[in-house]
């Protein structure tokens, strides 16, 4: 190409500027315009960009190159180039904006893409274009249903709207001007929304306007240590204000966006916790997290925080997972309050359009198992009040894999399912198909919890393992060896320990030959099949137990499509619940089945609870760890403890923590069994409870996987009640609602329940730090949760609401009356005695149901007859002696 003509005066000024730019360290670019047209001079102090890349960059701004030439300079390392565009209609101010944007890109401050066109068409700066990109990327995750290219074309055609939406963002959230009256900016945007010419334009404009209006906080105006805007943006969002909403609507979410990483953190309540995962679903990671958050919300019912979940994806192949995680964590902390000397402190340079919000706790998840210390180090950089309680686990926390806590909790469900069918997992051999590998926490620990396991097959993302007729003791030893071998796979399994006809096969194999032994074990006739077909055969195998310790949704209902499972990676291997031939399913992993698949499997006679029940012990352990650290770290700051003595105390109570968590899980599983035993009798009570949870708890029965009115009518006519997975939902959501109603009352402050706070903590901690526990910032939440958890486990879901309907009393009044009955009967001792008796599970269940009926009757009697507002303690003192004498007489008769 050849250069167009230029004036001598311009050339002279360029020479001086070029010389200065070559002496610098960053590339520089500027435009000049004269009668010959517009040209750009680009100076690189070192190696220049490829010409093709420069041309593509200019075209991103709508500029097409007419000619190019290299300019002569005295530099030995740098280069200067001239790019001519001919006659342009672009104004000088816009050219300056483009030059700034290109310079910022050359300096690595942003990545030029299609959104760069907005710099030229709307006359906005590159950071404003970046802001629009962030908003549109978020909307893409909310299922707006329009491609990014389509959205950009709409915005390019409507520069007035682009400028108006940016002005609204600044009016609401720029700390230099806000809080100010943003009514004019709102009105301008609303007018332009109404002026949209097409339905799609209207959707785009409404979605962007709703995004800006939903943002409660942002780090957009915060700066880094060098005083420059941060290289990533985070937005705290009131999800209910968005126009594109899913069936599950978070309480709050934080969206983090940058050129190299992007992610979202969703919460179902103000005090919420859950894991952060490295997602491989770049196009729909928010959908992935919504499902996980929903599960976490019911899983967290027995603990203080509500459910939360987060995920990030990498947008650059040059970025490590740890670096992406760091940016994601920073983005979350940037818009989260801190607590300093007991007072809430808002983030600097941030407009907060919400109340105080300092509770942010995260946990490890898929791809982030080793990142807890990293997360806590970042929290330390922010001087975040939770310290290393910010991310549970880590070097000074509880190692879930070493404790085996999640698998042990899920195994309680397996144990009960077998016990209720007259089998003992410790003494009776049973066959298993598994999802996962021995190096994994949940799968590996789970497959070592009984020496009677006959693992006939398993699969993970790498291999398929087949052992059609295993020797239980030999295979147990080999599994133990693999579990102890770091990063082991099924490929490391000793082939000599596999029974005849078995083997280990790669999932990338073209086909797999099936032996007679394998065909017999799996109940199939094919002589060979693909790896995907073999996995489906394993899932459908006639075994005693299907143990899910992996990642993915492998089972849907027959009435659902693979789209309903929301896990495209496993569409090829998924089966329907109607095809299952296993007797029991243990859900150590999350989302192995859709909720409807669980219900269908249970209706077909299968024994199953739900993932949020089976694997709840892990999250309960993390929550107890965080609450221990909150209490003890206050002592560290005051000098009552050193960090070392705190850590020794935490380590010393690890077994106590595990015991408490497993006891709580066992009680919850038992509560489901007791309700399931009377499911037909309790159906009408459960139907009314669904209505109450819908009206007062804000649940959507369809989203929760609860039966429709038509289905409930069919169940009533056929004499069938709710299934265990459905009862699990009612139990968890009832706990959530009752906890919130108790928090809104004075019950957590009543001296009658003071022991609940102390009892929550391991005895050595309670004795070492009584004052710190009494001053715990979550003491009311801990007490309310403990009351709700115990009461609902004992009386079952629906009983409290039944008393409210029949007697016109509040949840708080029921809790006080139940506390009186608990004391009068010495209920803890009576309940424990029943659990420890050597009887079969049917007899045990009947005895517990009789106790439950007595508790319900006495609680109702107190509520009806004690209208004088007598305190529970007065009732206990009045009746306990006589009742206990009567109990002793009955026992001795």
């Amino acid at each position: 190409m050849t250069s167009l003509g230029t004036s001598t005066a311009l050339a002279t000024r360029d020479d001086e500027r070029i010389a200065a730019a070559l002496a610098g360290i960053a590339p520089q670019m500027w435009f000049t315009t004269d009668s010959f047209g517009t040209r750009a001079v680009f100076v690189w102090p070192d190696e220049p960009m490829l010409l093709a890349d420069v041309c593509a960059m200019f075209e991103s701004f709508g500029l097409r190159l007419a000619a190019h030439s290299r300019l002569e300079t005295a530099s030995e390392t740098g280069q200067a180039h001239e790019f001519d565009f001919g006659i342009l209609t672009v104004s000088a101010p816009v050219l300056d904006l483009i030059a700034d944007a290109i310079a910022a890109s050359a300096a690595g401050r942003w990545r030029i893409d299609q959104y760069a066109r907005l710099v030229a068409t709307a006359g906005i700066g590159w950071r404003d274009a970046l802001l629009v990109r962030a908003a549109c990327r978020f909307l893409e995750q909310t299922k707006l249903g329009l491609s990014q290219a389509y959205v950009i074309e709409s915005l390019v055609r409507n520069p007035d709207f682009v400028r108006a939406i940016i002005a609204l963002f600044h009016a609401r959230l720029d700390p230099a001007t806000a809080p100010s009256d943003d009514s004019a900016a709102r009105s301008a945007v609303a007018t332009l929304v109404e002026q949209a010419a097409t339905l799609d334009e209207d959707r785009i404009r409404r979605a962007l306007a709703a995004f800006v209006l939903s943002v409660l906080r942002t780090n957009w105006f915060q700066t880094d240590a060098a005083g420059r805007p941060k290289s990533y943006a985070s937005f705290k969002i009131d999800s209910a204000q968005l126009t594109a909403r899913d069936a599950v609507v978070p309480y709050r979410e934080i969206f983090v966006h940058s050129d190299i990483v992007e992610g979202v953190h969703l919460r179902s309540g103000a005090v919420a916790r859950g894991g952060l995962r490295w997602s491989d679903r770049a196009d729909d990671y928010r959908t992935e997290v919504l499902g996980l958050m929903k599960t976490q919300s019911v899983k967290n019912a027995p603990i203080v925080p509500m459910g939360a979940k987060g995920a990030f994806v990498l947008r650059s192949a040059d970025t490590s997972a740890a670096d992406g995680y760091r940016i994601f964590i920073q983005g979350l902390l940037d818009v989260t309050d801190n607590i300093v000397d007991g007072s809430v402190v808002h983030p600097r340079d941030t407009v907060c359009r919400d109340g105080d919000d300092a509770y942010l706790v995260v946990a490890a998840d898929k791809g982030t198992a080793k990142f807890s210390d990293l997360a806590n180090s970042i929290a330390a950089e922010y001087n975040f009040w939770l310290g290393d309680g910010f991310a549970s686990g880590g070097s000074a926390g509880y190692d879930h894999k070493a404790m085996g806590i999640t698998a042990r909790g899920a195994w309680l469900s397996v144990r009960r399912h077998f016990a209720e069918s007259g089998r003992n997992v410790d003494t009776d051999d049973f066959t298993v198909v598994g999802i996962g590998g021995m190096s994994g926490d949940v799968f590996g620990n789970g497959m070592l919890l009984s020496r009677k396991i006959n693992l006939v097959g398993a699969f993970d993302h790498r291999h398929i393992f087949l052992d059609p007729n295993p020797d239980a003791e030999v295979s147990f030893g080999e599994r133990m060896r693999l579990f102890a071998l770091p990063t082991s796979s099924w490929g490391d399994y000793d082939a000599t320990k596999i029974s005849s006809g078995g083997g280990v096969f790669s999932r990338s194999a073209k086909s797999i030959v099936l032996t007679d032994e394998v065909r017999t074990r799996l109940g199939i006739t094919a002589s060979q099949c693909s790896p995907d077909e073999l996995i489906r055969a394993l899932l459908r195998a006639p075994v005693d137990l299907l143990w899910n310790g992996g990642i993915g949704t492998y089972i849907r209902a027959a009435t659902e499509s693979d789209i309903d499972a929301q896990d495209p990676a496993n569409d090829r291997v998924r089966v329907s619940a109607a095809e299952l031939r296993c007797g029991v399913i243990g859900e150590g992993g999350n989302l192995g089945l859709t909720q409807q698949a669980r219900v269908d499997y249970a209706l077909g006679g299968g024994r199953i609870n739900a993932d949020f029940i089976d694997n709840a012990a892990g999250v309960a352990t993390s929550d107890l760890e965080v609450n221990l650290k909150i209490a003890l770290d206050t002592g560290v700051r005051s000098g009552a403890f050193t960090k070392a003595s705190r850590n020794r105390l935490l380590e010393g109570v690890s077994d106590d923590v595990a015991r408490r968590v497993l006891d709580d899980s066992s009680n919850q599983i038992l509560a489901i069994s007791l309700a399931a035993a009377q499911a037909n009798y309790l159906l009408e009570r459960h139907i009314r409870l669904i209505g109450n949870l819908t009206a007062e708890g804000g649940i959507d029965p369809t989203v929760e996987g609860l039966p429709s009115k038509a289905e409930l009518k069919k169940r009533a006519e056929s004499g069938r009640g709710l299934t265990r997975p459905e009862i699990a939902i009612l139990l968890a959501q009832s706990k959530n609602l009752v906890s919130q109603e108790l928090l809104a009352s004075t019950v957590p402050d009543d001296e009658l329940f003071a022991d609940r706070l102390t009892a929550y903590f391991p005895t050595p901690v309670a004795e070492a730090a009584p004052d710190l526990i009494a001053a715990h910032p979550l003491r009311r939440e801990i007490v309310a949760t403990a009351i709700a958890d115990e009461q609902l486990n004992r009386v079952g879901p629906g009983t409290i609401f039944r008393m409210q309907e029949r007697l016109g009393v509040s949840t708080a009044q029921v809790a006080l009356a139940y506390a009186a009955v608990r004391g009068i009967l010495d209920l803890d001792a009576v309940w424990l005695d029943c659990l420890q008796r050597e009887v079969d599970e049917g007899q045990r269940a009947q005895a517990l149901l009789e106790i439950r009926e007595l508790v319900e009757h006495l609680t109702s009697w107190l509520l009806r007859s004690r209208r004088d507002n007598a305190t529970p303690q007065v009732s206990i003192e009045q009746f306990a002696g006589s009742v206990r004498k009567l109990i002793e007489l009955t026992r001795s008769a």
Side-chain angles (χ1 to χ4, degrees):
M1 295 182 183
T2 57
S3 173
L4 297 176
T6 57
S7 70
T8 302
L10 281 173
T12 299
R13 288 198 295 273
D14 280 346
D15 288 342
E16 296 170 353
R17 195 168 181 180
I18 289 169
L22 287 169
I25 58 174
Q28 292 188 34
M29 197 277 291
W30 60 90
F31 290 97
T32 56
T33 301
D34 58 16
S35 58
F36 295 101
T38 298
R39 65 191 179 93
V41 175
F42 215 139
V43 181
W44 288 271
D46 46 29
E47 284 296 314
M49 294 170 60
L50 291 174
L51 179 59
D53 292 339
V54 176
C55 292
M57 179 179 63
F58 281 129
E59 289 191 5
S60 296
F61 295 94
L63 304 179
R64 300 199 64 185
L65 194 61
H68 158 261
S69 62
R70 178 176 175 178
L71 302 177
E72 293 183 5
T73 68
S75 173
E76 295 180 0
T77 56
Q79 293 184 21
H81 292 249
E82 181 181 273
F83 301 91
D84 293 297
F85 303 97
I87 303 298
L88 295 178
T89 58
V90 182
S91 67
V94 171
L95 288 175
D96 288 342
L97 291 172
I98 294 173
D100 288 343
I102 291 174
S105 176
R109 298 177 65 189
W110 81 308
R111 183 177 298 162
I112 292 173
D113 58 11
Q114 298 176 80
Y115 287 93
R117 293 174 63 191
L118 299 177
V119 175
T121 59
I124 60 176
W126 65 269
R127 287 205 78 232
D128 287 333
L130 187 58
L131 173 63
V132 175
R133 181 178 76 181
C136 291
R137 284 279 183 83
F138 175 78
L139 294 177
E140 183 181 32
Q141 291 292 325
T142 64
K143 298 181 180 178
L144 180 62
L146 302 171
S147 70
Q148 291 286 288
Y150 188 87
V151 171
I152 292 167
E153 286 298 329
S154 174
L155 296 177
V156 165
R157 291 193 304 268
N158 296 280
D160 288 348
F161 177 75
V162 173
R163 289 189 290 267
I165 206 72
I166 292 168
L168 177 60
F169 181 85
H170 282 262
R172 284 176 50 79
L173 299 162
D174 187 345
T177 57
S180 61
D181 183 3
D182 63 0
S183 58
R186 279 175 179 258
S187 177
V189 169
T191 299
L192 289 168
V193 168
E194 294 301 325
Q195 291 175 358
T198 67
L199 178 60
D200 283 350
E201 261 186 21
D202 184 86
R203 288 174 60 203
I204 292 167
R205 295 186 188 189
R206 287 187 190 279
L208 281 168
F211 170 80
V212 172
L213 293 173
S214 71
V215 176
L216 303 172
R217 303 181 181 192
T218 178
N219 73 344
W220 189 256
F221 302 98
Q222 297 176 15
T223 55
D224 60 20
R228 294 179 304 188
K230 294 187 173 181
S231 61
Y232 57 91
S234 56
F235 307 87
K236 182 180 178 184
I237 295 166
D238 179 355
S239 309
Q241 302 305 313
L242 300 170
T243 56
R245 293 195 297 271
D246 287 82
V248 178
V249 180
Y251 165 74
R252 296 287 186 267
E253 61 187 289
I254 299 174
F255 174 61
V256 179
H257 171 77
S258 77
D259 285 335
I260 61 175
V261 67
E262 196 171 277
V264 69
H265 180 260
L266 311 181
R267 288 189 290 160
S268 58
V271 177
R273 73 172 307 282
L276 304 182
R277 62 173 39 199
W278 176 17
S279 176
D280 55 6
R281 293 171 58 172
D283 295 331
D284 68 340
Y285 59 83
R286 186 174 182 270
T287 298
E288 176 186 23
V289 175
L290 278 170
L292 291 166
M293 185 206 73
K294 176 178 171 293
T295 298
Q296 197 77 33
S297 298
V298 283
K299 182 189 297 187
N300 285 17
I303 64 174
V304 172
M306 299 183 74
K309 212 72 177 181
F312 67 95
V313 296
L314 301 180
R315 297 293 190 188
S316 169
D318 298 326
T319 303
S320 69
D323 287 341
Y325 183 79
R326 169 176 281 278
I327 292 173
F328 187 44
I329 292 290
Q330 289 172 327
L332 301 182
L333 289 170
D334 279 349
V335 291
T336 300
D337 291 335
N338 202 359
I339 297 179
V340 179
D341 296 330
S343 299
V344 174
V345 178
H346 293 317
R348 62 180 179 81
D349 299 328
T350 303
V351 173
C352 298
R353 289 186 169 269
D354 59 348
D356 294 345
D357 192 2
Y359 191 91
L360 177 64
V361 175
V362 303
D365 205 299
K366 172 189 169 187
T368 62
K370 303 298 184 182
F371 289 173
S372 292
D373 283 341
L374 173 58
N376 286 328
S377 70
I378 299 167
E381 293 169 7
Y382 280 70
N383 293 315
F384 193 55
W385 71 283
L386 281 170
D388 63 355
F390 170 65
S392 56
S395 56
Y398 297 127
D399 184 332
H400 287 206
K401 185 174 183 179
M403 295 173 72
I405 193 66
T406 304
R408 290 163 67 188
W411 201 251
L412 292 172
S413 287
V414 171
R415 183 180 295 279
R416 177 154 291 282
H417 288 314
F418 275 80
E420 289 175 4
S421 60
R423 300 178 68 182
N424 188 326
V425 293
D426 296 322
T427 59
D428 301 331
D429 282 282
F430 58 101
T431 54
V432 182
V433 162
I435 303 170
M438 286 308 300
S439 61
D441 171 11
V442 180
F443 184 90
N445 274 303
M447 290 296 92
L448 296 176
L449 288 172
S450 171
R451 305 185 83 96
K452 295 299 181 178
I453 291 171
N454 286 261
L455 183 65
V456 301
F459 66 90
D460 62 10
H461 61 288
R462 297 164 293 186
H463 298 101
I464 301 172
F465 167 77
L466 297 173
D467 191 3
N469 297 292
D471 181 302
E473 193 62 29
V474 170
S475 60
F476 179 87
E478 183 61 6
R479 290 197 303 275
M480 182 175 288
R481 184 184 71 83
L482 289 190
F483 183 72
L485 181 66
T487 67
S488 69
S489 74
W490 288 117
D492 297 309
Y493 201 99
D494 185 346
T496 65
K497 306 290 178 65
I498 298 176
S499 60
S500 176
V504 177
F505 307 92
S506 171
R507 285 191 63 173
S508 63
K510 182 177 180 180
S511 66
I512 298 171
V513 176
L514 304 179
T515 62
D516 291 342
E517 294 89 346
V518 167
R519 290 200 299 271
T520 299
R521 172 58 69 187
L522 300 185
I524 57 178
T525 59
S527 59
Q528 66 178 22
C529 64
S530 70
D532 288 347
E533 290 169 333
L534 182 53
I535 288 173
R536 289 197 294 273
L538 280 169
L539 292 169
R540 295 191 295 252
V543 293
D544 298 314
L545 170 66
L546 175 61
W547 174 253
N548 177 26
I551 295 170
T553 303
Y554 296 96
I555 303 164
R556 58 169 174 78
T559 55
E560 293 178 312
S561 69
D562 286 325
I563 293 174
D564 295 317
Q566 298 186 347
D567 179 23
N570 288 300
D571 285 353
R572 297 183 305 174
V573 299
R574 191 171 298 114
V575 300
S576 73
E579 300 174 85
L580 299 178
R581 292 181 287 174
C582 55
V584 172
I585 295 179
E587 294 199 71
N590 286 321
L591 304 178
L593 298 84
T594 66
Q595 177 66 4
Q596 190 56 53
R598 294 187 187 104
V599 173
D600 285 5
Y601 174 69
L603 287 172
R607 294 180 176 273
I608 187 173
N609 293 324
D611 53 355
F612 60 86
I613 296 294
D614 287 2
N615 61 39
V619 71
T621 300
S622 295
D623 185 53
L624 185 46
E625 175 190 329
V626 171
N627 285 326
L628 282 165
K629 287 180 175 178
I630 288 174
L632 296 177
D633 281 358
T634 303
V636 172
R637 287 190 290 271
S638 69
F641 293 96
T642 64
K643 198 77 168 182
S645 64
R646 184 211 73 159
N647 290 345
R648 285 193 298 272
L649 188 54
L650 287 172
E651 184 178 359
V653 298
S654 60
D655 288 344
D656 193 339
V657 166
R659 179 188 58 76
R660 289 165 181 272
V661 165
L662 294 174
D663 283 348
D664 288 344
S665 290
S666 182
N667 290 334
Q668 181 164 248
I669 294 163
L670 175 61
I672 295 171
S673 287
L674 294 178
Q678 292 187 312
N680 300 348
Y681 167 73
L682 294 172
L683 182 60
E684 182 58 35
R685 185 181 299 191
H686 288 161
I687 290 173
R688 298 193 67 78
L689 176 60
I690 291 172
N692 172 246
L693 292 173
T694 302
E696 302 297 331
I699 74 163
D700 182 333
T702 303
V703 173
E704 297 293 340
L706 293 170
S708 64
K709 291 182 179 179
E711 173 63 19
L712 288 169
K713 183 178 179 182
K714 285 172 57 179
R715 299 264 187 103
E717 291 171 349
S718 63
R720 300 193 69 168
L722 297 186
T723 63
R724 293 181 71 99
E726 293 163 332
I727 292 169
I729 291 285
L730 292 190
L731 180 64
Q733 293 292 8
S734 294
K735 289 180 180 180
N736 286 336
L737 178 58
V738 169
S739 294
Q740 293 305 309
E741 290 177 338
L742 291 177
L743 272 174
S745 74
T746 59
V747 166
D749 309 305
D750 195 306
E751 281 300 312
L752 179 68
F753 301 105
D755 64 324
R756 298 299 182 96
L757 179 62
T758 304
Y760 172 83
F761 294 94
T763 302
V765 175
E767 292 175 349
D771 294 341
L772 299 177
I773 288 174
H776 200 289
L778 295 176
R779 57 190 176 277
R780 297 188 81 253
E781 287 83 357
I782 291 171
V783 171
T785 302
I787 295 170
D789 186 52
E790 183 207 303
Q791 187 172 347
L792 280 155
N793 284 343
R794 293 270 175 86
V795 305
T799 301
I800 294 176
F801 180 59
R802 185 167 184 256
M803 293 180 188
Q804 291 173 328
E805 279 192 310
R806 292 172 59 208
L807 305 174
V809 294
S810 67
T811 296
Q813 288 174 307
V814 175
L816 291 169
Y818 168 81
V821 171
R822 179 176 182 257
I824 291 168
L825 295 178
D826 194 11
L827 184 58
D828 289 354
V830 172
W831 197 267
L832 182 62
D833 177 66
C834 190
L835 291 178
Q836 292 178 340
R837 288 182 188 175
E838 292 293 333
V839 295
D840 68 49
E841 290 304 316
Q843 292 173 313
R844 190 188 319 281
Q846 185 58 42
L848 289 171
L849 287 170
E850 290 174 2
I851 295 171
R852 171 179 285 187
E853 185 176 354
L854 175 63
V855 170
E856 181 180 348
H857 174 75
L858 292 179
T859 304
S860 297
W861 180 83
L862 279 178
L863 288 167
R864 282 195 306 269
S865 62
R866 306 292 284 183
R867 297 294 183 175
D868 56 355
N869 293 321
T871 65
Q873 194 59 46
V874 169
S875 297
I876 292 170
E877 292 171 358
Q878 184 174 357
F879 299 115
S882 300
V883 169
R884 290 178 190 179
K885 286 179 182 178
L886 182 59
I887 291 173
E888 289 301 320
L889 286 173
T890 303
R891 284 175 175 169
S892 61

